Amino acid sequence: MPETKYAESDYMMISALQHIAVCPRQCALIHNERVWEDNLLTAQGELLHIRVDNGGTEKRGDLIQARTVRLNHPGLGITGIADMVEFRRITDPLDPKTGVRIATTLPNKHNWWIPCPVEYKRGRSKTDDWDRIQLCAQVLCLESMYELRMDRAALWYDSTKTREWVYIDSELRDKTLELVRQARILLDSGKTPPPVYDRKRCNACSLYEQCRPKDYAPDHAEKYYENLFHIVDP
Ligand code: SF4
């Protein structure tokens, strides 16, 4: 069993990794200050997940699809919910090349099963790694929960209706672990960083109104306060 390091009350949501990758201020506002506001993008994402996250488990031959699966990793102190985890049946739990365990048993089922998270995403495949980092965090949780090693997982994109395989290599693992470390430091500090205005990122941010990045960003703050206290001579 993995060494238990964090109490459940100290777990951090896996979504914090995506949020800190986008903007540390957004991460602190959502996960420490509990500020949340839907915009068109978050509403579309929410609708997609309502369609997908209907719970329950389906079995088709050698494949089991479990929906809305709670994941956690006590050693890293992260938790989240996978849209779906697929389990594919095999007869030998060990990787024939490396001898590493790649499959688990399941209650009331014969043989061995290889887990694979499938995360449903709005839009199409992206050039940045945010979706892949979230998926890698899910893999780290499953590896910890089942004491095995996984080498791939999948993203399913709503716009293109395609499944993208993501290989969980050491580079992606390191990136994900580094974000876990950064998010932990940020959230434990209890501090919310000042905004850094970036037109593309901020205009897509659901917290734009609460954050007011143009008014409060350090570069703009001086001007903002000047305007705020500017007294017009009669
Ligand atoms: S509006 Fe910009 S600076 Fe503010 S939280 Fe969103 S992304 Fe970060």
Side-chain angles (χ1 to χ4, degrees):
M1 290 294 289
E3 183 195 345
T4 302
K5 196 170 163 193
Y6 290 94
E8 272 188 39
S9 54
D10 293 329
Y11 279 4
M12 180 170 74
M13 296 302 294
I14 287 175
S15 58
L17 307 183
Q18 274 187 304
H19 295 140
I20 197 171
V22 174
C23 170
R25 178 171 170 81
Q26 187 194 70
C27 182
L29 285 171
I30 293 171
H31 297 275
N32 270 357
E33 298 193 27
R34 309 282 171 203
V35 177
W36 182 253
E37 193 66 37
D38 273 320
N39 66 6
L40 180 64
L41 298 178
T42 60
Q44 286 173 342
E46 188 64 22
L47 272 176
L48 174 65
H49 283 96
I50 288 170
R51 290 208 303 271
V52 173
D53 297 349
N54 60 358
T57 301
E58 260 178 62
K59 183 171 181 304
R60 277 189 248 138
D62 289 340
L63 184 71
I64 293 174
Q65 293 179 319
R67 294 175 200 274
T68 321
V69 179
R70 164 70 64 185
L71 306 175
N72 57 59
H73 190 310
L76 295 176
I78 56 174
T79 186
I81 292 176
D83 290 336
M84 183 161 77
V85 179
E86 289 184 344
F87 294 88
R88 194 169 294 277
R89 193 202 314 253
I90 55 168
T91 50
D92 186 347
L94 304 182
D95 183 314
K97 283 190 197 141
T98 61
V100 171
R101 198 152 86 86
I102 54 171
T104 180
T105 53
L106 291 177
N108 306 319
K109 300 275 183 293
H110 296 296
N111 298 108
W112 295 87
W113 300 83
I114 298 178
C116 172
V118 182
E119 192 62 17
Y120 287 71
K121 291 289 173 195
R122 193 185 50 76
R124 56 188 63 239
S125 181
K126 303 168 185 76
T127 50
D128 59 59
D129 272 336
W130 301 337
D131 292 346
R132 288 179 275 277
I133 283 166
Q134 179 191 8
L135 194 65
C136 181
Q138 293 183 354
V139 165
L140 295 176
C141 289
L142 285 163
E143 287 182 338
S144 165
M145 290 161 65
Y146 292 119
E147 297 180 58
L148 44 71
R149 182 83 172 178
M150 297 166 60
D151 63 0
R152 70 174 191 172
L155 294 165
W156 189 90
Y157 285 101
D158 187 40
S159 290
T160 52
K161 310 274 185 264
T162 51
R163 179 180 283 207
E164 175 184 306
W165 287 106
V166 175
Y167 290 89
I168 312 296
D169 58 18
S170 55
E171 192 185 332
L172 183 58
R173 286 171 187 269
D174 289 348
K175 232 182 228 184
T176 306
L177 291 172
E178 176 56 20
L179 281 178
V180 171
R181 193 185 69 80
Q182 288 178 16
R184 175 66 63 187
I185 291 171
L186 173 71
L187 298 182
D188 283 354
S189 78
K191 292 181 182 154
T192 301
V196 176
Y197 180 68
D198 173 275
R199 190 169 63 85
K200 188 169 171 226
R201 180 188 64 170
C202 294
N203 286 353
C205 177
S206 68
L207 302 185
Y208 189 94
E209 284 306 317
Q210 289 87 344
C211 170
R212 299 178 64 186
K214 281 186 175 170
D215 293 341
Y216 294 110
D219 288 354
H220 295 82
E222 207 177 316
K223 190 162 177 290
Y224 173 76
Y225 284 111
E226 255 176 44
N227 290 339
L228 193 64
F229 298 111
H230 181 65
I231 298 168
V232 180
D233 288 333

